[in-house]
Amino acid sequence: MEITFTHLQLAGTLPPEPPRFGFDTRLAAVSGSGGTGLATRVSELDQLLATRSPAELRALLDAHGVRFVELEAMYGWFAGDREPEEALLRYAETFGVPRIKTAVLLVPPAVRPEADLLAERFAALCDRAAAAGTTVALEPVVVLPGFDHVAAHDLVRAVDRPNAGLMFDAWHVFRDPAGMDVVTSVAARHVAGLELTDGHTTPKGTVYQDCVDERLLPGEGDFDLAGLLAALRATGADVPLSVEVLSTTLRALDPAENARRTMAAVRSLLARV
């Protein structure tokens, strides 16, 4: 089974800081661990393409047996702002990136648009993404109010586009009381992927601190990851697996060691389930 890495898994930093480790170092780490893909961001691609052509970058990826699987992250569309998406869609088309991750981040005092307007804007976004040959992966986020799994599921069902689905992050699933209910009821066509991570039953520190600093490698915590995997497989979906373990421990490691430990944990989990 293919396992891929989110951008933050190996960056060694959290936004808005740039990655602490260079792209070539992270690419080698993914390849050396047996991973097959990684995510990147527009800002990083802008920097890479300042010194290399798209063909040279594709050749480098091919040499490592790794591909871009995701662009992170598209925001602003829900407020009617299309400008940030232009580069994302252009790069998705240039490199054949299969999905762009997005979320509705409602930082107070921001409020969610009315349901009809939100659906209209999301549908239009998905149609523009389809023209670029990519999928929109909508991730429910529970560290901010206003857009949990129920809200995200309702939106994806409302637009029902073939290139729109939910990106389930295990941390958010198990921190949302309705997370597993959505997982067990989602249609296969509405599943865009699963980000594996683990955690403690009770959050350590604030919910935000737990989200960005205290996650654990798959199989090392209390989350029922076997049940989550089984529930998603029961939908009939072909679920792409990636890893996003946000942890002060892993951020302190060099990418090769981070990737090695991560892949060992994921393989152990999958062998058990």
Side-chain angles (χ1 to χ4, degrees), residues 109-143:
V111 296
R112 189 194 318 177
E114 293 295 327
D116 289 348
L117 179 58
L118 188 64
E120 176 185 316
R121 289 173 175 170
F122 188 61
L125 168 65
C126 294
D127 292 343
R128 293 191 295 270
T134 193
T135 289
V136 179
L138 179 63
E139 182 177 1
V141 175
V142 299
V143 292

Side-chain angles (χ1 to χ4, degrees), residues 5-15 17-23 26 38-39 41 44 72 245-246 250-255 258:
F5 290 76
T6 67
H7 175 75
L8 290 179
Q9 179 67 29
L10 300 176
T13 55
L14 291 172
E17 295 297 319
R20 184 159 60 95
F21 303 104
F23 175 78
R26 288 179 285 126
L38 78 164
R41 296 188 168 196
E44 181 165 67
E72 302 179 5
V245 184
L246 306 183
L250 289 183
R251 282 198 294 275
L253 302 176
D254 66 79
N258 182 332

Side-chain angles (χ1 to χ4, degrees), residues 166-226:
L166 295 175
M167 174 59 71
F168 291 105
D169 177 319
W171 186 91
H172 291 282
V173 170
F174 288 106
R175 292 291 183 243
D176 183 345
M180 278 301 295
D181 290 338
V182 170
V183 168
T184 57
S185 61
V186 69
R189 69 183 184 279
H190 292 155
V191 178
L194 171 64
E195 293 175 353
L196 288 168
T197 188
D198 214 330
H200 303 279
T201 300
T202 302
K204 297 190 69 175
T206 67
V207 172
Y208 178 78
Q209 288 169 334
D210 189 72
C211 178
V212 301
D213 290 336
E214 301 294 344
R215 299 192 191 196
L216 301 171
L217 287 168
E220 294 185 354
D222 302 317
F223 293 167
D224 182 13
L225 296 178

Side-chain angles (χ1 to χ4, degrees), residues 1-12 23 25-41 44 61 64-72 97-99 101 167 194-196 217-218 240-246 250 253-267:
M1 178 176 288
E2 291 192 352
I3 306 297
T4 65
F5 290 76
T6 67
H7 175 75
L8 290 179
Q9 179 67 29
L10 300 176
F23 175 78
T25 298
R26 288 179 285 126
L27 178 60
V30 173
S31 177
S33 71
T36 57
L38 78 164
T40 187
R41 296 188 168 196
E44 181 165 67
L61 290 163
H64 283 276
V66 174
R67 59 196 175 95
F68 286 136
V69 293
E70 183 176 86
L71 289 172
E72 302 179 5
V97 185
R99 68 177 179 263
K101 186 160 67 176
M167 174 59 71
L194 171 64
E195 293 175 353
L196 288 168
L217 287 168
L241 294 180
S242 56
V243 284
E244 185 164 86
V245 184
L246 306 183
L250 289 183
L253 302 176
D254 66 79
E257 180 64 11
N258 182 332
R260 185 193 68 78
R261 292 190 190 185
T262 299
M263 287 296 290
V266 171
R267 287 176 176 138

